[in-house]
């Protein structure tokens, strides 16, 4: 049945009675960051006083629907889809904004924009701000203690790739070997196709255009040929550790826990009551399941993909 999903910033905090949703993230991002938006707004704009229900609704509406220039009629109603995006945004110096068709749009075809153009925001960010797991392509990002230390060096991530002196894979704008993120990252195109540690060049098309599956395969194969196996191994070990340390498995989440939570929600709903806390919990479990599947993809791709072997790895 239909559930009223909310943004994580609307969930109960961990210290509130009846809070389950944050715990059900099982420590995965955005744990610890779910209430960043509301905390900032309360502190900066409301003298640190708790928002009224009307203020909260207004804040969430602006957070999830506003463009960079504020609330814009019609534009605010467009949905996000980086795989099927068919528009581009054009702004002018006077503050005007236009939505331009990027492809031929057929009658009755949905009009899509993007909430995360060019890979700047990950699927984790989209979920934390808007409250949904985006359709493919998905860009998942995480860190561990080792990566957090490495990320303190702004140049560390550039070492993931074979340099332009060793390989001619740099694109025309010289972006070929610039990492999209200094953390672990996987770009998931489909359940069976993904790229590890994507570069800015690879993800630039997100929110800016489309690629077919065959086009993605070519791009990803070329990308992996420049990605050092040593960095792939580190990503494999990190993803596997996160999955191993999780209190529940993908199979348990998908086949037992999630169906049971949905059944209990529907049971209460049939009695005329909507259990919002239960709805938030289901939302968190659905998200963590998608995240775990992305981590499993990272493990599988790391084991089966063709990557660049340094001389000491041969």
């Amino acid at each position: 049945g239909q559930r009223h999903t909310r943004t994580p910033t609307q969930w109960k905090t961990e210290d509130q009675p009846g809070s389950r949703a944050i715990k059900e993230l099982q420590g995965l991002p955005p744990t610890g960051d779910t209430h960043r938006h509301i905390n900032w707004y309360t502190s900066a704009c409301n003298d640190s006083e708790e928002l009224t229900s009307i203020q909260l609704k207004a804040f969430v509406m602006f957070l999830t629907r506003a463009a960079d220039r504020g609330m814009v009629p019609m534009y605010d109603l467009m949905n996000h889809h980086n795989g099927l995006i068919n528009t581009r945004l054009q702004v002018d110096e006077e503050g005007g904004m236009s939505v331009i068709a990027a492809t031929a749009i057929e009658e009755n075809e949905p009009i899509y924009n993007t909430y995360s153009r060019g890979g700047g925001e990950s699927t984790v960010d989209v979920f934390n701000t808007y409250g949904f797991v985006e359709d493919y392509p998905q860009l998942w990002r995480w860190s561990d203690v080792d990566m957090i230390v490495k990320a303190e060096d702004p140049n560390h991530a550039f070492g993931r790739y074979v340099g332009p002196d060793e390989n001619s894979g740099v694109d025309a704008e010289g972006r070929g070997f610039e990492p999209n993120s200094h953390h672990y990252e996987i770009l998931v195109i489909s359940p069976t196709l993904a790229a590890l540690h994507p570069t800015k060049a690879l993800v630039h098309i997100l929110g800016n255009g489309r690629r077919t599956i065959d086009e993605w395969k070519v791009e990803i194969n070329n990308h992996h040929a420049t990605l050092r196996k040593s960095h792939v191994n580190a990503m494999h070990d990190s993803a596997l550790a996160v999955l191993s340390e999780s209190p529940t498995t993908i199979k348990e989440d998908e086949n037992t826990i999630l169906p049971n939570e949905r059944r209990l929600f529907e049971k209460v709903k049939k009695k005329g009551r909507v259990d919002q806390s239960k709805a938030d919990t289901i939302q968190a479990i659905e998200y963590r399941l998608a995240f775990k599947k992305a981590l499993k993809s990272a493990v599988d791709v790391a084991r089966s993909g063709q990557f660049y072997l340094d001389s000491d790895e041969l």
Side-chain angles (χ1 to χ4, degrees):
Q2 187 67 33
R3 284 180 287 111
H4 174 59
T5 58
R6 305 194 297 179
T7 63
T9 203
Q10 295 172 276
W11 293 352
K12 291 183 178 180
T13 57
E14 290 184 276
D15 58 349
Q16 290 179 309
S19 170
R20 272 193 61 198
I22 294 178
K23 295 182 180 67
E24 293 297 345
L25 293 176
Q26 296 182 344
L28 292 170
T31 298
D33 204 33
T34 52
H35 288 71
R36 169 170 53 91
H37 299 298
I38 195 71
N39 289 342
W40 169 84
Y41 182 81
T42 301
S43 174
C45 307
N46 207 50
D47 295 327
S48 298
E49 294 185 8
E50 185 176 350
L51 303 185
T52 66
S53 59
I54 296 297
Q55 286 176 316
L56 179 60
K57 287 179 181 178
F59 169 74
V60 171
M61 183 178 294
F62 187 88
L63 176 68
T64 59
R65 284 297 174 183
D68 291 343
R69 304 202 172 191
M71 300 289 287
V72 180
M74 299 305 295
Y75 175 83
D76 302 334
L77 300 177
M78 295 170 63
N79 286 324
H80 163 87
H81 202 305
N82 275 338
L84 301 177
I85 188 169
N86 49 18
T87 64
R88 60 182 176 85
L89 197 60
Q90 183 173 294
V91 297
D92 57 47
E93 296 179 355
E94 287 73 39
M97 189 173 75
S98 301
V99 176
I100 311 297
T103 63
I105 301 175
E106 302 295 332
E107 183 177 355
N108 296 322
E109 181 182 350
I111 299 176
Y112 292 109
N113 70 345
T114 181
Y115 301 165
S116 54
R117 195 178 306 277
E121 290 190 311
S122 68
T123 300
V124 176
D125 298 317
V126 170
F127 176 77
N128 200 28
T129 300
Y130 303 102
F132 65 90
V133 177
E134 61 184 334
D135 291 327
Y136 298 118
Q138 299 170 347
L139 188 64
W140 296 92
R141 189 178 298 156
W142 76 98
S143 277
D144 56 20
V145 174
D146 183 53
M147 181 59 78
I148 291 173
V149 172
K150 290 179 179 178
E152 294 178 357
D153 175 5
N155 295 315
H156 89 98
F158 288 83
R160 296 169 180 164
Y161 315 106
V162 182
D165 293 335
E166 302 166 84
N167 187 289
S168 59
V170 169
D171 68 8
E173 298 180 36
R175 298 174 306 182
F177 297 100
E178 183 179 355
N180 186 61
S181 167
H182 286 242
H183 302 279
Y184 294 116
E185 195 170 61
I186 179 171
L187 173 63
V188 184
I189 307 303
S190 76
T192 57
L193 183 62
L196 306 185
H197 282 316
T199 58
K200 286 188 180 297
L202 189 63
V203 303
H204 178 71
I205 197 170
L206 298 180
N208 292 307
R210 301 184 185 183
R211 284 192 182 116
T212 65
I213 289 293
D214 287 339
E215 289 171 338
W216 273 116
K217 287 180 179 178
V218 171
E219 293 286 340
I220 290 174
N221 286 338
N222 290 339
H223 163 71
H224 282 166
T226 71
L227 181 59
R228 297 183 189 276
K229 180 64 174 175
S230 56
H231 289 265
V232 171
N233 291 341
M235 186 176 188
H236 166 278
D237 293 347
S238 176
L240 191 60
V242 174
L243 289 171
S244 300
E245 293 166 6
S246 175
T248 59
T249 65
I250 291 175
K251 185 176 181 180
E252 288 170 339
D253 285 348
E254 189 165 35
N255 297 339
T256 304
I257 298 172
L258 194 53
N260 187 55
E261 294 289 348
R262 288 170 174 164
R263 180 183 60 80
L264 293 174
F265 176 83
E266 290 300 324
K267 183 177 180 180
V268 172
K269 185 179 177 182
K270 287 179 180 179
K271 297 180 179 180
R273 184 171 67 89
V274 175
D275 187 340
Q276 188 58 59
S277 179
K278 176 71 71 177
D280 295 342
T281 296
I282 293 171
Q283 185 182 6
I285 297 172
E286 289 172 341
Y287 167 81
R288 88 179 183 217
L289 175 60
F291 204 147
K292 289 179 184 178
K293 287 183 176 181
L295 293 168
K296 179 64 165 57
S297 291
V299 172
D300 293 341
V301 172
R303 291 174 176 174
S304 63
Q306 300 295 314
F307 304 98
Y308 182 85
L309 290 175
D310 288 313
S311 56
D312 58 349
E313 295 178 306
L314 295 174

